[in-house]
Amino acid sequence: MQAAPVRATAIPSFTTALRAVESLLMSSGQRTARRNAWTSVLEDRRRAKDRVEAQRVLDQVTLLRP
């Protein structure tokens, strides 16, 4: 007797589900604008983090100077 083949269907992630709902509710232009805005937010956060790190390094160098 052979075991029945197992079919694994991946459960969509929460993000995938949100994008599906988004595509139903918004036009493609709005989707693109929203994604671009979110990408800008993430990039701003990355730059802010880099600025904080650069300031920390400069402060340490200033303390080490005689």
Side-chain angles (χ1 to χ4, degrees):
M1 181 159 53
Q2 261 187 349
V6 176
R7 293 185 183 187
T9 304
I11 297 172
S13 68
F14 184 70
T15 304
T16 304
L18 280 179
R19 285 204 174 147
V21 170
E22 177 186 54
S23 69
L24 292 173
L25 298 177
M26 294 185 182
S27 71
S28 64
Q30 287 175 323
R31 272 196 315 263
T32 301
R34 187 182 191 118
R35 285 195 188 125
N36 288 344
W38 182 243
T39 300
S40 293
V41 167
L42 295 178
E43 185 62 22
D44 287 346
R45 288 178 182 176
R46 187 194 61 77
R47 280 195 301 265
K49 185 178 173 184
D50 289 347
R51 277 194 305 274
V52 168
E53 181 61 27
Q55 187 62 50
R56 188 176 297 131
V57 169
L58 288 172
D59 291 343
Q60 288 175 352
V61 169
T62 303
L63 291 175
L64 295 176
R65 260 195 234 164

